[in-house]
Amino acid sequence: MSDRIRAVVSDVDGTLVDRKKQLTPGTIAAVGRLRAAGLGFTIISARPRSGMMPIADALALDEPMGAFNGGTIFRRDGTVLEQHWIERDIVTAMFDLVGDAPVDRWVFADDLWYASTDQGHHTDSERVSSNQAPIVTQDFTGLYDRADKLTFVSDDPALLGTLSDRARAAFGDRATVVQSQTYYLDVTALAANKGDGVTLLAEALGAPLAEVAVIGDQANDVAMFDRAGLSIAMGQGPAEVRAKADLVTAGNDADGVAQAIDTIILPRR
């Protein structure tokens, strides 16, 4: 656990934003204090670029950011610095593996969101997270060669856990298979993980990884916990995620990021 911090990389959903997926005034002010103290700040998320732009605009964030768990590194002006698509045969294999399981299917490609249905509370939530409406289709094959992320949606944790285990066993050495929320199973390119993503963002911020603090709340954040000099978990995150972090802050509905900035990070600047 590092005693000196020069930059911060934060997850978005469940971390930087509250349950309504909004930035609170307290969090915005705390990020301002962080920058005023000379520390770098950026974000990494399972969201597509379109979903990250409102956050970037609200924070006037011009540093490189990581979409799709770091699979796409880009700037607010639209410049894409790095992009990794899932290998086509893995996309095919994942849809074959899922078969007729009772899950919703989402494919993100060309910064658009394609979905098997536009109904359901997770779809309503994703409209906010992605900052766009889904394009409903039952045939995703035309997207297989340029898919940034596949997401399979279910409120049955045992079902998603089984699919996750089978996918990792089948091609876990060629793709990143992880749950960004308990009800989302995400598949991205092998390099599209928050460990590799935070490494690229630290370089862009001009800070060694040993002097970077990361904040997150879900299983897909553990990869960056393992790389950074200081890892902070959100208080409402799963116990197994909190156990993998160096420290724990308050929940995202209690300005946990602001608390972490003021009580943990700024004292280490």
Side-chain angles (χ1 to χ4, degrees):
M1 183 168 59
S2 177
D3 289 328
R4 184 186 181 199
I5 298 301
R6 291 172 53 188
V8 178
V9 178
S10 177
D11 170 49
V12 175
D13 294 292
T15 301
L16 192 66
V17 297
D18 64 14
R19 193 176 304 175
K20 296 179 181 178
K21 298 188 178 295
Q22 296 176 343
L23 284 167
T24 68
T27 294
I28 293 172
V31 171
R33 291 192 292 275
L34 190 77
R35 287 167 153 172
L39 279 73
F41 179 83
T42 193
I43 53 178
I44 190 168
S45 176
R47 291 185 180 196
R49 286 186 293 151
S50 60
M52 297 178 71
M53 287 303 296
I55 306 297
D57 288 341
L59 296 175
L61 185 61
D62 291 320
E63 292 80 0
M65 298 170 277
F68 300 120
N69 293 327
T72 300
I73 305 297
F74 71 105
R75 293 184 181 274
R76 187 159 64 113
D77 65 5
T79 303
V80 175
L81 304 175
E82 190 156 343
Q83 185 170 21
H84 299 277
W85 290 323
I86 312 166
E87 295 176 37
R88 182 187 176 93
D89 64 313
I90 292 175
V91 178
T92 302
M94 189 66 201
F95 273 97
D96 289 344
L97 185 153
V98 171
D100 59 359
V103 298
D104 292 341
R105 295 149 173 80
W106 298 347
V107 176
F108 295 85
D110 306 326
D111 211 36
L112 296 173
W113 168 32
Y114 297 84
S116 57
T117 178
D118 61 0
Q119 303 299 308
H121 63 281
H122 293 309
T123 301
D124 291 341
S125 177
E126 187 63 23
R127 290 175 189 269
V128 178
S129 295
S130 294
N131 193 32
Q132 61 176 292
I135 299 169
V136 178
T137 182
Q138 302 304 316
D139 182 4
F140 298 97
T141 53
L143 308 170
Y144 279 15
D145 60 353
R146 59 187 190 280
D148 292 293
K149 183 176 73 166
L150 313 178
T151 299
F152 300 92
V153 186
S154 173
D155 284 316
D156 183 342
L159 172 60
L160 280 190
T162 297
L163 293 175
S164 178
D165 290 344
R166 290 177 58 199
R168 281 197 296 268
F171 43 78
D173 59 340
R174 297 177 56 209
T176 299
V177 182
V178 69
Q179 288 180 249
S180 59
Q181 299 289 339
T182 56
Y183 38 81
Y184 292 159
L185 173 60
D186 292 344
V187 179
T188 52
L190 186 61
N193 66 83
K194 289 192 178 180
D196 287 352
V198 76
T199 300
L200 292 171
L201 294 176
E203 182 178 345
L205 292 169
L209 272 171
E211 297 180 5
V212 172
V214 295
I215 314 175
D217 73 307
Q218 289 292 336
N220 63 330
D221 296 311
V222 172
M224 67 178 181
F225 287 4
D226 292 341
R227 300 279 187 100
L230 176 64
S231 57
I232 303 168
M234 300 300 291
Q236 88 290 342
E240 59 271 23
V241 173
R242 299 197 309 269
K244 294 180 182 298
D246 295 319
L247 297 168
V248 177
T249 186
N252 67 319
D253 275 344
D255 278 342
V257 168
Q259 182 188 101
I261 287 172
D262 288 333
T263 68
I264 299 172
I265 295 168
L266 285 177
R268 289 173 165 83
R269 68 186 181 277

